[in-house]
Amino acid sequence: MERFVVRGGRPLTGRVKIAGAKNSALKLLAATLSAPGEHLLHRVPDVADIRVTLELLRTMGAEATLDQAGTARVVIPDDLEPVAPYELARQMRASIIVLGPLLGRFGRAQVAMPGGCNIGARKIDMHLAGLEKMGATIGMEHGDLVATGSLRGANIVLDWPSHGATENLLMAATLAKGNTVIDNAARDPEISDLAQMLRAMGAKIHGDGTHTLEIEGVDALHGSTHTTIPDRLEAGTYLIACAAVGGSVRLEGARADHLELLLSKLGTAGATIDTDDTSVSISIDERPRAVDIVTLPYPGFPTDLQPQWISLLAVAEGTGIVTENVFEGRFSFIGEMARLGADIRTEGHHAVVRGVPSLSAAPVEAPDIRAGAALVIAGLCAEGETTVAGVELIDRGYEALEESFRGLGADIVRESIA
Ligand code: EPU
C-alpha cells in the first residue's frame, strides 16, 4: 500500500510529456484479438490497467509485451482460449471489451462479470442487447457471461451514446456477416482511434466521429502497426491543476482539438491558453474564477475531468455549479474534499461549490482514478501536508502522477504505508 504526501502552495511551472490514452490503448489491445499475427502498438501508457489487459491477452494464449519505449507487441495465435477469467476481469471493468472481438472472431466468448471503479452501477445492458441483435445468445454461468453465435450485421440504436458499448459493437461488427449501423454512437476521439486501427487491420468502417457508424463486415482481419492518440484526460488533469494552483505549464504531445470545451472553460476561469499542432500551454497568475460545468458524452465536458474541476472550484473566486450526467457515483469523493476545508453541497446530480481562499491539508483517501487525481490537486492547493491514500487506484490511469507534478515544481512524494 502506498500514499502520496503533498505539501501545497507552490505554483506549477515547466513542461510535461503526455502519455498515450489509457482508454484508447485498452481497446486497441482488445482489438488485436480480432486477427491472428503480429500487432505493434506505439505510445501505450505503462499504467496498471494496461498491465492487466496484457496479462489477459497472455492468459488467452497470446504473446503480449510492453517495452520501455511504450511499444506493445502482441502476437495472436490462430486459435486461443476465448475466456476472460474472474481474477483479471474483477480488477478492471473494461475487460468486457474483449466480448465483441472474441465473439466476432471465434463465435464464442466467456467473460467474468466485470468489477471496476466505485463511480456507479456501470451497467452493460447496451453491450449485450447490441450483440444479441447481431445474433449472439448470451447467458450467465457461475458468474461468467457466456456468449455464442455467428454474428450478422444489424441496425442498432443505442439508448445513450455509451463509449464502451460503441467500441464493443464496432469490433464485433467488423467480422459480422453483412452491414451494421450503430446509431446514437459515442463520438469520443478514442473511438476514432480504434476505427483507424481496425481500418489498418482491413476493416471497413465509416462515420467514426459522428453519431452514426457504418460497418461492412469482412471475412478476416490482419495485424497492423498503430500509434495511440495522446491522453486527453491526463492532459486535462495537468491543465486544471495549473489553473487551480497557478503557474505556467506546457503539455507536449497534447491535442487541443480533443480538449476544446475544457480549454474554453479554462479561458473563462482566467487562464491564458496557447495551442499548436503538438502542444497545449496554460498560464495563470491570479485566483481562478468559478465557472459552471455540465458533464455529457464527448464533445461535452468529460465526466473524467469533473472531480478535478471540483478541486479548482473549491479554491476559485465565486460559486460554481457542477452537474454530473454520466456516472451517478462520481461525487463520492466530496466527503474527502470537505476534510480539506472545501465548501461543497450536493443535491442529486448537482454540486454547488463555494470557493474558499485556501484549503487546509488533511489525510484523505482516493475512491477512484479521477477523484484520486482531484484530491492530489486539492492537496497542491492546500496549506500544510496532505496525504492521499489509495494510490493504487490512481496508478490505474496515470503513469507516475507524482513524478510529473514534481517535474513541474510540486512538492509531492510517494511513500509506502507500513
Ligand atoms: N451504461 C449503461 N449500459 C451500458 C453501458 C453504459 O447503462 O450498457 C451507462 C453507465 O452505467 C454510465 C453511462 O452509461 O452511467 C456511461 O457509460 P459508458 O459506457 O459511456 O462508459 P464506459 O465505456 O464504461 C468509458 C471510460 C470511462 C469514462 C466513460 C465516459 C474506459 C475504460 N472507461 O467508460 O473512464 O468515464 O467512458 O467517457 O474507456 C476512467 O478512465 O477513469 C473512466 C472511468
Side-chain angles (χ1 to χ4, degrees):
M1 301 281 273
E2 292 176 323
R3 65 183 181 187
F4 289 146
V5 181
V6 191
R7 283 184 200 85
R10 292 193 188 183
L12 299 177
T13 48
R15 297 168 176 230
V16 56
K17 195 168 182 322
I18 298 304
K22 168 198 75 117
N23 287 348
S24 203
L26 290 176
K27 328 305 169 52
L28 302 174
L29 288 170
T32 64
L33 290 165
S34 303
E38 186 185 68
H39 305 257
L40 287 178
L41 264 179
H42 300 305
R43 198 157 56 195
V44 173
D46 185 8
V47 297
D49 278 11
I50 292 292
R51 281 178 239 130
V52 171
T53 308
L54 293 168
E55 181 61 30
L56 186 57
L57 295 175
R58 286 192 290 268
T59 306
M60 292 186 202
E63 279 177 48
T65 53
L66 177 62
D67 71 17
Q68 295 213 325
T71 295
R73 178 175 175 273
V74 179
V75 182
I76 300 288
D78 287 336
D79 201 12
L80 51 70
E81 184 68 11
V83 177
Y86 180 65
E87 311 82 73
L88 293 171
R90 66 183 274 276
Q91 295 179 43
M92 191 184 65
R93 180 185 182 274
S95 309
I96 190 67
I97 208 68
V98 299
L99 195 59
L102 287 177
L103 197 52
R105 174 141 175 252
F106 299 101
R108 65 196 170 92
Q110 185 171 339
V111 178
M113 277 297 279
C117 305
N118 301 321
I119 57 175
R122 310 207 65 177
K123 294 181 296 208
I124 53 168
D125 54 323
M126 283 185 260
H127 300 239
L128 304 187
L131 292 171
E132 281 173 342
K133 196 135 193 234
M134 294 170 80
T137 303
I138 303 175
M140 278 290 289
E141 283 177 22
H142 310 294
D144 288 0
L145 280 171
V146 181
T148 51
S150 81
L151 300 183
R152 52 177 192 275
N155 289 337
I156 298 165
V157 184
L158 296 178
D159 291 349
W160 165 272
S162 154
H163 189 146
T166 302
E167 292 165 327
N168 224 340
L169 298 173
L170 169 63
M171 287 191 273
T174 56
L175 287 171
K177 210 167 179 54
N179 298 340
T180 298
V181 176
I182 307 173
D183 231 323
N184 199 21
R187 297 156 62 189
D188 302 77
E190 293 78 16
I191 293 169
S192 298
D193 201 24
L194 174 62
Q196 198 180 324
M197 172 164 148
L198 288 166
R199 276 192 290 264
M201 293 168 68
K204 295 194 173 153
I205 299 166
H206 305 280
D208 44 297
T210 77
H211 283 308
T212 307
L213 279 169
E214 292 174 0
I215 306 111
E216 225 176 292
V218 296
D219 290 339
L221 299 173
H222 51 77
S224 72
T225 298
H226 180 83
T227 301
T228 314
I229 56 169
D231 197 316
R232 63 191 166 106
L233 304 172
E234 187 198 21
T237 299
Y238 299 130
L239 288 168
I240 298 172
C242 181
V245 71
S248 170
V249 170
R250 180 181 163 95
L251 304 178
E252 290 174 350
R255 279 187 55 170
D257 57 329
H258 294 167
L259 290 160
E260 274 180 12
L261 185 52
L262 173 68
L263 297 180
S264 139
K265 294 279 178 188
L266 287 166
T268 312
T272 303
I273 305 287
D274 281 307
T275 67
D276 61 30
D277 286 350
T278 57
S279 73
V280 175
S281 303
I282 180 170
S283 62
I284 182 164
D285 54 13
E286 59 194 39
R287 190 175 167 198
R289 292 187 290 275
V291 179
D292 299 346
I293 58 154
V294 175
T295 70
L296 280 172
Y298 188 85
F301 194 94
T303 176
D304 287 324
L305 294 176
Q306 176 263 100
Q308 299 89 318
W309 195 262
I310 285 191
S311 291
L312 177 145
L313 290 177
V315 293
E317 182 86 55
T319 297
I321 299 175
V322 172
T323 303
E324 171 58 55
N325 289 315
V326 183
F327 287 113
E328 68 275 21
R330 268 231 142 120
F331 287 152
S332 63
F333 74 112
I334 284 194
E336 299 299 281
M337 289 292 295
R339 289 177 49 71
L340 294 165
D343 180 351
I344 306 173
R345 196 162 45 83
T346 57
E347 175 104 24
H349 65 133
H350 303 288
V352 178
V353 189
R354 289 193 179 83
V356 295
S358 74
L359 297 172
S360 144
V364 291
E365 182 157 1
D368 66 72
I369 306 174
R370 309 299 169 189
L375 290 168
V376 170
I377 294 174
L380 294 172
C381 298
E383 282 171 14
E385 184 178 289
T386 294
T387 56
V388 182
V391 165
E392 59 284 357
L393 288 168
I394 300 174
D395 286 341
R396 288 185 53 186
Y398 295 91
E399 271 183 359
L401 186 70
E402 82 285 15
E403 284 177 22
S404 301
F405 276 129
R406 222 169 27 240
L408 295 174
D411 185 346
I412 174 170
V413 292
R414 177 185 293 253
E415 68 174 34
S416 297
I417 304 173

